[in-house]
């Protein structure tokens, strides 16, 4: 019994260590220019910053879940941008970024809440 418990504890510790080493890649950061509060019909650009070398980035919105892949990069390779034109209520909502590092998807970034004013 004691041996079994010790063995279980050891295996548990090892599994935790494997998770710690092979957890998903770190979060990206997300922000909006000119800001997260936009007036109806205007444009906004959402930026996602990812680690160097990453080429697959997605911006997703929920709900209803909508996903845009492959924003464009300008200047700094680590910053991807997604332009949203002609903002309507259907484009408002909660957005987040995630990226694929070649073997795994990252954790989701923090949420960015895009709010439309002037309805
Ligand atoms: C992707 O991220 C995982 C977890 O952080 C890491 O183990 C792996 O080496 C990364 N792959 C590449 C190609 O960078
Ligand atoms: C913006 O969206 C509204 C509502 O869908 C549409 O009536 C208008 O033509 C659009 N304007 C442009 C410039 O796309």
């Amino acid at each position: 019994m004691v041996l079994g418990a010790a063995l279980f504890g050891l295996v548990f510790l090892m599994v935790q260590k494997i998770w710690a080493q092979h957890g998903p890649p770190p979060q990206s950061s997300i922000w909006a220019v000119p800001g997260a509060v936009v007036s109806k019909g205007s444009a906004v650009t959402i930026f996602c910053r990812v680690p160097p070398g990453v080429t697959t980035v997605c911006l997703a919105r929920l709900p209803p879940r909508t996903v845009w892949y492959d924003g464009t990069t300008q200047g700094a390779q680590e910053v991807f941008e997604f332009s949203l034109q002609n903002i309507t209520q259907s484009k408002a909502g909660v957005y987040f970024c995630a990226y694929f590092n070649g073997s795994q998807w990252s954790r989701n970034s923090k949420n960015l809440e895009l709010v439309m004013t002037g309805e």
Side-chain angles (χ1 to χ4, degrees):
M1 274 309 261
V2 172
L3 184 64
L7 209 56
F8 176 79
L10 187 66
V11 167
F12 181 72
L13 281 176
M14 282 166 63
V15 166
Q16 272 196 325
K17 197 167 173 216
I18 288 166
W19 277 347
Q21 279 173 351
H22 297 281
Q27 288 180 326
S28 45
S29 39
I30 185 170
W31 69 97
V33 174
V37 179
V38 287
S39 55
K40 187 177 178 183
S42 66
V44 63
T45 305
I46 297 180
F47 292 88
C48 305
R49 183 189 300 280
V50 298
V54 167
T55 56
T56 305
V57 179
C58 83
L59 176 71
R61 188 188 54 142
L62 44 96
R65 200 179 174 94
T66 314
V67 179
W68 292 267
Y69 277 100
D70 295 332
T72 55
T73 49
Q74 263 181 15
Q77 273 291 311
E78 298 86 42
V79 177
F80 283 71
E81 61 178 72
F82 298 83
S83 294
L84 307 184
Q85 309 295 328
N86 196 14
I87 295 297
T88 55
Q89 191 58 52
S90 67
K91 289 177 185 162
V94 174
Y95 287 81
F96 62 85
C97 306
Y99 64 90
F100 187 70
N101 81 344
S103 62
Q104 282 186 48
W105 279 95
S106 69
R107 289 177 200 281
N108 295 340
S109 68
K110 282 186 187 155
N111 288 337
L112 173 84
E113 186 167 8
L114 194 69
V115 176
M116 191 198 79
T117 59
E119 181 63 286

